[in-house]
Amino acid sequence: MGKKLYINTTINGEAVEFLCEPRQSLLEIFRDHLGMTGTKEGCNDGNCGACNVIIDGVLMNSCLIFAVEAQDRKIVTIEGLASPQGLHPLQQKFLEHASLQCGICTPGFLVAAKALLDQNPDPTEHEVRHWLAGNLCRCTGYDKIVRAVLDAANVAPNTETSLQSSN
Amino acid sequence: MQNFEYCTPRTLGETFDLLGENDCQCRVLAGGTDLIVQLRQGALSVDRVIDIKHLPECKQLICDPIEGLTLGATVPCHRIYEDKAIVDTYPGLIDSIAIIGGIQIQGRATVGGNLCNSSPSADSIPILIAYGATCEIVGAAENRRIPVENFCTGPGKNILEKGEILVAIHLPPVPKSSGAHYLRFIPRFEMDIAVVGAGAYVELDDEGRMFNKVRIGLAAVAPTPLYAREAGDLLKGREVSDESIDAAASSAQSIARPISDMRAPAEYRKHLVKVLTRRALWGAINRARGEFVPNAVQNNDQ
Amino acid sequence: MAATSNSENGNGNGKYKVIGTRPIRHDGLDKVTGRAVYGIDQNLPGMLYGQTLRSPHPHARIRSIDTTKAEALEGVRAVVTADDFSPAGDDEVISLVEGVFRLTHMRSNILAKDKVLYQGHSVAAVAATNIHIAEEALRLIEVDYEILPYVEDVHEAMREDAPLLHDDLTTEDFGEDTGTKSNIASHTQFKIGDLEKGFGESDVIIEHEFKTASVHQGYIESHNATAEWKTDGQLTVWTSTQGAFGVQKQTAGILGIPVSKVKVVPMEIGGGFGGKIPVYLAPQAALLSKKSGRPVKIIMTRADVFKSTGPTPATYVKVKIGADKTGKFLAAEANFAFAAGAFPGSPVWAGAMCVFSCYSFPNALVDGYDVVLNKPRSAAYRAPGATPVILATETIVDEIAEKLGVDPIEIRLLNAAQEGVRRVDGVVYPVIGCRETLEQAKAHEHYRTPLNGPNQGRGIATGFWVNAGLKSSATAHVNEDGTVNLVEGSTDIGGSRASIAMQFAEVLGLPAEAINPSVGDTSSVGYTELTGGSRVTFATGWAAYEAAQEVKRKMMAKAAMYWEAPEEEVRFEDGIFLHATDADKKLSFKELAGHLKDLGGAVVGSGTVDPDYGSGGSFTTCMADVEVDPDTGKVTILRFTMIQDAGTAIHPSYVEGQMQGGSVQGIGWALNEEYFYSEGRMQNASFLDYRIPTCFDVPMVDTVIVEVPHPGHPFGVRGVGEASIAPPPAAIAIAIYNAVGVRLRELPMRPDRVLAACLEKLAASH
């Protein structure tokens, strides 16, 4: 009972295999076994969104997924947002709008916002706020996060910009 | 979390073999948004987790004008509200499933899981009751179909016997001049558990003036979600009016027996039953009359 | 005075080149790509995972703890209890910025010795090869408790027949030990003028009682600590903290070892708001590491964060204010009790300083009580103590204005605190920006825009926080490419690397990007007090300013060396080194840096400061528009504007961020957040049921930055971290009154409370 299972999955476009116990969450595997600590743990019960990942195109909390369920799935984490050519427009806009203070919730917000823009490239403020309601931020009051997402939506897809000062 | 065996049966037969083993505490996994939390808290014990997401019977999602809606037990909420036909045909269902947790919960959570978790405050159950939905329960020996209102038997408890699983939920077809609406009261605007939930389904006459049929479901006001049968029945044949709706809302209120807890005092919940029943009925009536009633998926922005 | 709305691009009024601009923060890239390493992310070879066993009871005597079964579980490497503490120094105290604490109290909050004093009080800790085994081991520890009567209400705790938490606690009155055994830890009193005379001359006197529930800081990263205690006696702690030196001092004291044996590495920190000043886990992890010989990491569960770590005190506040016919305030009296939790130390002193801080009161009296009861030890939370007392004062000010028919902003302007006004605690204000925030409110388009619906209302309130100075250090060294590495001692909790680096850059005429700021650990930077008290940009920025001045002097000397000229012939203007007489001799900072390798040793500059803040403090005025659903009592925030005096805004985006964050925390405190207790146990210890605002609950938060420069700071900085949380609950209470005619005097103003008040009013009118 409870024997370890060998899981094959795809993370940020790369084939990844790992051995895990059934009780281990995907979040735990990322953070404690794969060295991928960009996905954050905030509550471990699906109420803060810090551990958001996109699995087969769908936004999910990685704390509420057993790692064994990841077999044959395609997973995108915060580490997969930027490309060697530069940041994702959302990352760039978060920097320009000062949308982070402590930054612990930022990976979860970015992943959630990416999932939103992937399916709704031109959301209203209401839609952005509704979509992001499962992500808690205690620092910013959300104003600058919402503005950054709205602004990123205006950036044409695939025109990823490089990091530079807005000054 | 205690360790357990994880199984992914591909057929119902395999599932029943796994479920039937003696002295093996089994839990069925669909979306896991309740199960994993409960296992982590140590609120449940388990030897074997059976992931039924690979069973074809549980994955079906069919919206048919004659047969109604077949909702496989492991279909996640997002698949339901991404289906245009369902959004247009069963907006009352959409009202509820688009407010269960955040978007990331809706990516995993299932209506089947919401039912089997059998929380008194489950958002999807009142509207399923209102729609007159039934549960398709399959076991190794026999299959049965029972109305949703008879499914839950207490907080976290339901009629599933050892060896049985919920495979699908069936919503009847909806005639023209019908409408449904679910709403809940929460202190925030998203992410809370319902303090009170109310779902209503109405069928009106062709002029949209008289009630032909009304069903009302309630959440978080009793140990199980409630079917407010009398409240609905008393509207049958009556005119749509503030007065008749008030009478139904009072009737719904009279069967509510809420508790006081950290989410709200009982007295306040009791008050809300009336307010929400009224609002749910008006939402259903407006939809039956062809008017637009927004929800989390279809809002005024669009 | 300058004012910048967040719709404008602040440019620091042209006086500065870098200050007032909005560069991208230096640590931003790592934080948007997931590369930044927070305390919870720490991983060391051979690391074990720790977990803590906590009391299920609010008050109980520990008869025995049996850890043998847990120790026998495969994978468990160490189990510790209070018996593992060295008893050395049990009669000593630790002096921290927030106060002086008994070592026995601090130790007993880390691991309970004889008694558990609240649900969630830690009893034992386990280290194992993975987190699941550690959790299983906790279930195998057997604790024999003798249940004791508990007390959870502040007034009940003050009664003579209340269950006493501590055998050795006696009341301190005005700093004198009375010798009386009681749950009342201390009584603080401030007084000015002649109260009787003031009330005697008043035409209007209004007095009310207010209550607020405990609320939690709600940072998204849980408490964590990783410790490695090597056999040579050297302990290293990696943790998310608001002050590495504070962790060093607390951990060393609790473990009974010299501070020199403890190195604390501050990791990136996922929020704090005052809650990550106290130490909870580092001593447990250290003891487990010592016993196991392995590094040990503990991350608190979210439920334990709620049950066991500092919420704000619940409060009871009574305020009475008298005014003459014109609205001029003549007298004020406050009496309040703060529920400190299981150990003394709630911010009574701060509440006393803040309660009447926004106005001139010639006659005033404040009595404050610090009371222990069976709940977790309270901790600082953004402007600690201010929000509950400001709620009381501002609500009463609004009532006086209403009674006299005076505009709510005019009555505040009439009485506004300003330079020369003496506060009740004796402080005489220097130049402050209270009046200016009110004037900006009056001029704001929000104030003039009519509401457009029934059951809507607007509320205005003013708030204050004292702000701190305290010790800070920074060290810089110049790189040969003209950039500068700047090591500073303040944990960067919200963009302070940027605001500190910008002040450094301003001195040297460099762009912000030329500075590479980093946060030092306790062995690599000079002593620096906590990130708190709105002090980092003020004090650590000042230390950076001093370090830059030293770099400037040394670089001028290097220029002289390069030109083979006397030092007094070198000038530094606009970032260029000039020769006083030879116009051809000119070097940019970068050019000169390139020559440093041939000019002797490296250029290093350091700054250490310990400024007296000068009690200027920061003032805020906010406006809230609400709509109340009369059928359910639910309040919607329609519009919100926050106005704050920043002195000088170094990085306006992060100033706005502080204002917006404080506003939304204030909104949460006002409407929904609370510790809900039943039978001594918290019932809502999760982000599901402890309802902090989501982005769907709030609108955009408009900001106006007022700049009344602090006369005591080189760039006029005031610090903006906290004052924004003080007035929102008051503004919302007033807005609810203006919407539906009911005054709420208890936080949170939950829907059921608003509805009950509305129904009561309806019943009274029939």
Side-chain angles (χ1 to χ4, degrees):
Chain A
M1 191 192 80
K3 69 175 165 57
K4 288 192 174 181
L5 297 175
Y6 201 69
I7 302 300
N8 288 281
T9 188
T10 303
I11 304 178
N12 300 325
E14 283 180 34
V16 175
E17 48 197 40
F18 56 83
L19 199 59
C20 69
E21 291 182 353
R23 63 179 165 185
Q24 291 184 291
S25 69
L26 188 58
L27 176 64
E28 183 183 343
I29 293 298
F30 286 149
R31 295 180 51 78
D32 292 346
H33 294 254
L34 300 177
M36 296 173 66
T37 55
T39 305
K40 302 303 180 191
E41 177 183 319
C43 66
N44 219 17
D45 58 12
N47 286 297
C48 77
C51 67
N52 282 350
V53 295
I54 299 171
I55 301 186
D56 294 337
V58 180
L59 184 68
M60 298 183 189
N61 297 300
S62 60
C63 73
L64 293 186
I65 300 167
F66 290 126
V68 290
E69 295 181 77
Q71 177 68 36
D72 299 329
R73 313 290 290 270
K74 287 192 173 56
I75 305 170
V76 176
T77 71
I78 182 64
E79 288 93 345
L81 252 64
S83 69
Q85 286 70 47
L87 296 175
H88 187 281
L90 278 162
Q91 293 172 310
Q92 181 63 27
K93 290 302 173 190
F94 266 56
L95 292 175
E96 289 173 10
H97 285 268
S99 306
L100 50 144
Q101 286 179 29
C102 82
I104 195 84
C105 71
T106 306
F109 268 98
L110 285 166
V111 169
K114 176 182 158 41
L116 169 65
L117 297 189
D118 284 351
Q119 64 157 254
N120 180 0
D122 189 22
T124 62
E125 183 188 335
H126 179 90
E127 286 167 340
V128 170
R129 287 186 183 275
H130 180 256
W131 185 275
L132 296 177
N135 287 73
L136 296 179
C137 169
R138 192 59 157 170
C139 293
T140 64
Y142 304 106
D143 182 301
K144 294 182 189 302
I145 292 174
V146 174
R147 286 180 201 277
V149 175
L150 290 168
D151 196 6
N154 292 324
V155 177
N158 305 322
T159 55
E160 294 180 348
T161 48
S162 62
L163 174 65
Q164 43 185 247
S165 168
S166 65
N167 217 18
Chain B
M1 195 186 291
Q2 66 177 132
N3 219 347
F4 51 81
E5 180 192 10
Y6 172 76
C7 308
T8 51
R10 304 283 155 162
T11 65
L12 281 171
E14 270 180 65
T15 309
F16 297 131
D17 289 347
L18 291 164
L19 276 170
E21 201 171 306
N22 284 334
D23 302 322
C24 182
Q25 178 76 266
C26 294
R27 299 283 172 190
V28 171
L29 172 69
T33 53
D34 288 312
L35 181 70
I36 295 176
V37 173
Q38 289 160 3
L39 289 173
R40 197 169 279 147
Q41 289 169 342
L44 291 180
S45 66
V46 66
D47 301 315
R48 175 182 289 163
V49 167
I50 304 170
D51 185 349
I52 60 165
K53 280 197 292 295
H54 301 280
L55 298 177
E57 294 83 351
C58 293
K59 288 199 277 194
Q60 43 181 342
L61 182 62
I62 304 160
C63 188
D64 183 279
I66 314 285
E67 298 292 323
L69 177 64
T70 301
L71 194 53
T74 66
V75 173
C77 294
H78 80 96
R79 265 188 70 199
I80 303 169
Y81 61 66
E82 284 166 8
D83 187 319
K84 179 88 170 59
I86 303 174
V87 169
D88 291 341
T89 316
Y90 295 94
L93 178 67
I94 303 301
D95 293 339
S96 78
I97 57 142
I99 57 174
I100 296 175
I103 300 293
Q104 46 279 78
I105 294 288
Q106 293 154 19
R108 284 272 284 173
T110 65
V111 174
N114 203 223
L115 258 173
C116 292
N117 188 52
S118 301
S119 164
S121 56
D123 280 309
S124 71
I125 301 180
I127 196 68
L128 291 174
I129 292 173
Y131 272 118
T134 54
C135 304
E136 182 184 345
I137 296 166
V138 180
E142 60 161 0
N143 300 349
R144 49 186 181 142
R145 273 215 193 192
I146 61 134
V148 167
E149 56 266 33
N150 295 342
F151 186 79
C152 300
T153 54
K157 294 191 181 120
N158 54 54
I159 57 149
L160 286 180
E161 306 277 352
K162 185 172 166 62
E164 283 187 329
I165 62 167
L166 174 71
V167 166
I169 298 136
H170 298 275
L171 278 71
V174 284
K176 215 169 165 313
S177 311
S178 76
H181 185 44
Y182 173 76
L183 78 168
R184 68 178 177 193
F185 182 83
I186 54 172
R188 289 185 295 188
F189 288 80
E190 278 296 338
M191 297 304 289
D192 289 339
I193 300 291
V195 165
V196 173
Y201 170 84
V202 303
E203 286 175 19
L204 304 181
D205 67 2
D206 291 344
E207 286 79 47
R209 289 180 49 223
M210 310 285 283
F211 291 106
N212 284 345
K213 180 180 174 186
V214 179
R215 287 175 62 94
I216 296 165
L218 302 172
V221 294
T224 65
L226 293 182
Y227 171 35
R229 184 191 301 271
E230 281 179 29
D233 286 352
L234 71 79
L235 288 176
K236 199 172 169 183
R238 285 183 69 173
E239 202 171 336
V240 174
S241 69
D242 284 332
E243 193 196 351
S244 63
I245 285 166
D246 249 30
S250 296
S251 167
Q253 189 179 36
S254 71
I255 64 162
R257 39 185 205 286
I259 56 162
S260 288
D261 65 7
M262 75 281 194
R263 291 181 185 140
E267 202 183 331
Y268 180 61
R269 284 194 156 116
K270 189 112 182 161
H271 169 89
L272 288 176
V273 174
K274 192 166 178 181
V275 175
L276 295 197
T277 303
R278 213 189 281 135
R279 289 180 183 181
L281 280 166
W282 274 119
I285 292 160
N286 288 336
R287 280 191 175 138
R289 289 170 170 172
E291 288 163 29
F292 176 71
V293 177
N295 61 25
V297 173
Q298 293 182 302
N299 60 61
N300 290 321
D301 283 352
Q302 290 170 333
Chain C
M1 194 257 310
T4 308
S5 150
N6 59 343
S7 55
E8 302 161 20
N9 190 24
N11 60 9
N13 63 31
K15 201 164 143 195
Y16 301 116
K17 280 190 169 157
V18 180
I19 289 172
T21 63
R22 299 173 187 245
I24 283 176
R25 63 193 282 173
H26 302 77
D27 53 331
L29 182 63
D30 283 351
K31 286 180 177 165
V32 298
T33 53
R35 271 183 234 144
V37 182
Y38 290 74
I40 56 167
D41 301 332
Q42 178 65 345
N43 259 313
L44 293 172
M47 190 177 80
L48 302 174
Y49 295 80
Q51 273 294 290
T52 309
L53 181 70
R54 295 176 183 278
S55 166
H57 307 296
H59 197 188
R61 196 169 303 285
I62 300 172
R63 289 204 195 98
S64 65
I65 305 175
D66 184 349
T67 60
T68 47
K69 281 184 194 157
E71 280 158 11
L73 183 67
E74 194 184 330
V76 171
R77 298 302 165 90
V79 182
V80 297
T81 65
D83 289 343
D84 291 280
F85 281 131
S86 147
D90 253 359
D91 49 354
E92 289 172 14
V93 295
I94 294 187
S95 189
L96 301 169
V97 170
E98 319 88 84
V100 176
F101 300 94
R102 290 191 209 177
L103 209 43
T104 49
H105 286 171
M106 298 195 74
R107 281 181 183 156
S108 128
N109 199 37
I110 301 298
L111 286 165
K113 193 162 175 58
D114 306 314
K115 286 213 300 186
V116 288
L117 298 170
Y118 55 95
Q119 173 218 25
H121 197 158
S122 31
V123 172
V126 172
T129 48
N130 74 44
I131 188 71
H132 304 282
I133 296 172
E135 283 170 6
E136 281 175 44
L138 295 186
R139 285 193 280 276
L140 298 174
I141 297 173
E142 290 164 8
V143 186
D144 184 12
Y145 292 107
E146 176 194 341
I147 309 290
L148 300 172
Y150 64 91
V151 58
E152 61 177 16
D153 174 81
V154 69
H155 276 148
E156 278 171 31
M158 291 171 85
R159 289 162 54 131
E160 274 179 25
D161 58 351
L164 291 182
L165 273 76
H166 302 276
D167 298 334
D168 59 347
L169 185 69
T170 50
T171 307
E172 228 177 63
D173 206 0
F174 301 93
E176 297 286 320
D177 188 351
T178 60
T180 312
K181 280 194 182 181
S182 159
N183 290 324
I184 303 171
S186 68
H187 169 216
T188 302
Q189 190 180 71
F190 293 127
K191 198 173 172 178
I192 49 168
D194 181 343
L195 201 67
E196 244 176 73
K197 181 169 166 280
F199 282 122
E201 291 168 358
S202 296
D203 299 306
V204 182
I205 297 173
I206 292 182
E207 177 176 13
H208 289 295
E209 294 177 24
F210 297 80
K211 278 170 80 175
T212 69
S214 275
V215 297
H216 197 270
Q217 296 82 352
Y219 32 77
I220 306 300
E221 184 197 27
S222 288
H223 285 276
N224 58 79
T226 306
E228 184 167 30
W229 201 339
K230 294 186 185 149
T231 48
D232 63 0
Q234 191 65 41
L235 169 64
T236 305
V237 173
W238 297 261
T239 186
S240 300
T241 174
Q242 291 178 242
F245 289 91
V247 173
Q248 183 189 39
K249 196 190 269 186
Q250 292 175 71
T251 305
I254 288 163
L255 296 172
I257 57 175
V259 287
S260 61
K261 291 289 183 190
V262 183
K263 171 177 160 180
V264 177
V265 183
M267 309 296 286
E268 296 298 341
I269 175 172
F273 315 106
K276 286 185 185 156
I277 301 167
V279 160
Y280 298 99
L281 297 175
Q284 289 181 8
L287 291 174
L288 289 167
S289 174
K290 191 178 190 183
K291 228 174 194 176
S292 65
R294 304 260 292 263
V296 175
K297 172 160 92 170
I298 311 180
I299 300 176
M300 226 184 252
T301 66
R302 177 55 57 181
D304 286 351
V305 170
F306 279 115
K307 287 179 197 163
S308 316
T309 75
T312 62
T315 72
Y316 159 85
V317 181
K318 186 161 79 174
V319 165
K320 178 178 172 183
I321 296 176
D324 71 13
K325 276 197 223 32
T326 68
K328 190 84 193 154
F329 299 154
L330 300 181
E333 186 178 0
N335 187 306
F336 54 81
F338 286 2
F343 301 96
S346 68
V348 169
W349 54 273
M353 286 162 114
C354 291
V355 62
F356 300 133
S357 54
C358 298
Y359 308 106
S360 167
F361 286 101
N363 311 294
L365 172 68
V366 178
D367 286 292
Y369 297 86
D370 186 34
V371 181
V372 297
L373 39 62
N374 296 109
K375 291 183 180 178
R377 177 188 163 197
S378 68
Y381 177 32
R382 202 170 207 150
T387 304
V389 296
I390 297 276
L391 167 73
T393 300
E394 288 298 295
T395 304
I396 291 176
V397 165
D398 188 71
E399 281 190 56
I400 293 174
E402 185 195 21
K403 201 157 189 176
L404 295 172
V406 183
D407 176 272
I409 291 188
E410 293 303 338
I411 197 168
R412 288 174 169 85
L413 278 169
L414 179 67
N415 295 286
Q418 54 189 325
E419 189 177 4
V421 163
R422 188 182 173 84
R423 207 166 62 204
V424 66
D425 55 308
V427 164
V428 178
Y429 281 123
V431 174
I432 51 171
C434 179
R435 168 177 295 280
E436 287 76 0
T437 66
L438 285 158
E439 278 162 358
Q440 284 298 318
K442 196 171 147 186
H444 202 281
E445 169 268 330
H446 182 172
Y447 189 59
R448 286 177 274 120
T449 303
L451 294 161
N452 58 2
N455 303 311
Q456 294 188 359
R458 176 170 298 153
I460 289 160
T462 295
F464 167 79
W465 176 245
V466 289
N467 288 6
L470 306 173
K471 293 177 176 63
S472 276
S473 305
T475 304
H477 65 270
V478 179
N479 299 315
E480 66 176 24
D481 62 357
T483 61
V484 182
N485 293 341
L486 177 67
V487 182
E488 46 92 358
S490 291
T491 298
D492 182 353
I493 209 161
S496 58
R497 280 185 186 85
S499 68
I500 292 164
M502 287 168 76
Q503 294 178 68
F504 184 92
E506 185 72 43
V507 173
L508 296 172
L510 296 171
E513 294 76 14
I515 317 302
N516 172 31
S518 58
V519 180
D521 62 49
T522 54
S523 62
S524 64
V525 69
Y527 188 87
T528 300
E529 281 291 2
L530 76 176
T531 292
S534 302
R535 60 173 291 280
V536 169
T537 300
F538 173 80
T540 312
W542 193 340
Y545 167 91
E546 295 296 345
Q549 293 292 348
E550 188 175 346
V551 167
K552 185 169 87 178
R553 286 193 297 275
K554 289 183 173 173
M555 288 293 276
M556 288 169 76
K558 296 290 187 186
M561 200 187 289
Y562 182 72
W563 288 323
E564 296 175 353
E567 282 185 27
E568 53 275 19
E569 286 180 12
V570 178
R571 286 186 292 127
F572 182 66
E573 280 170 22
D574 284 340
I576 309 288
F577 297 92
L578 304 166
H579 190 276
T581 52
D582 185 346
D584 290 341
K585 286 184 172 148
K586 258 190 193 180
L587 285 168
S588 69
F589 189 92
K590 188 175 177 174
E591 287 165 338
L592 180 56
H595 295 306
L596 285 180
K597 56 186 181 296
D598 305 319
L599 297 172
V603 171
V604 175
S606 55
T608 60
V609 297
D610 186 8
D612 172 12
Y613 187 78
S615 304
S618 183
F619 289 85
T620 44
T621 293
C622 72
M623 287 179 273
D625 293 357
V626 305
E627 181 169 322
V628 180
D629 179 339
D631 292 333
T632 65
K634 184 165 173 169
V635 175
T636 305
I637 306 290
L638 302 171
R639 185 168 182 188
F640 203 92
T641 300
M642 178 60 70
I643 303 160
Q644 181 165 11
D645 174 20
T648 299
I650 301 296
H651 192 310
S653 295
Y654 289 97
V655 172
E656 292 159 7
Q658 290 296 318
M659 296 163 69
Q660 291 165 335
S663 296
V664 170
Q665 287 184 331
I667 290 169
W669 197 338
L671 295 179
N672 286 314
E673 291 181 36
E674 69 177 314
Y675 266 50
F676 192 97
Y677 275 87
S678 173
E679 295 176 349
R681 293 172 179 87
M682 187 187 187
Q683 302 295 305
N684 57 336
S686 71
F687 274 139
L688 179 62
D689 287 312
Y690 182 87
R691 298 158 175 143
I692 79 172
T694 77
C695 63
F696 206 50
D697 297 323
V698 290
M700 293 294 186
V701 176
D702 292 338
T703 59
V704 180
I705 302 171
V706 175
E707 294 186 298
V708 180
H710 187 301
H713 186 275
F715 294 122
V717 170
R718 279 192 194 273
V720 291
E722 292 162 283
S724 54
I725 202 175
I732 292 166
I734 293 164
I736 291 171
Y737 174 72
N738 290 329
V740 289
V742 295
R743 294 266 184 205
L744 278 99
R745 300 192 181 93
E746 183 171 3
L747 299 187
M749 296 177 278
R750 296 187 319 227
D752 59 295
R753 288 196 177 131
V754 176
L755 180 78
C758 290
L759 294 177
E760 205 176 303
K761 182 183 166 239
L762 199 66
S765 69
H766 286 313

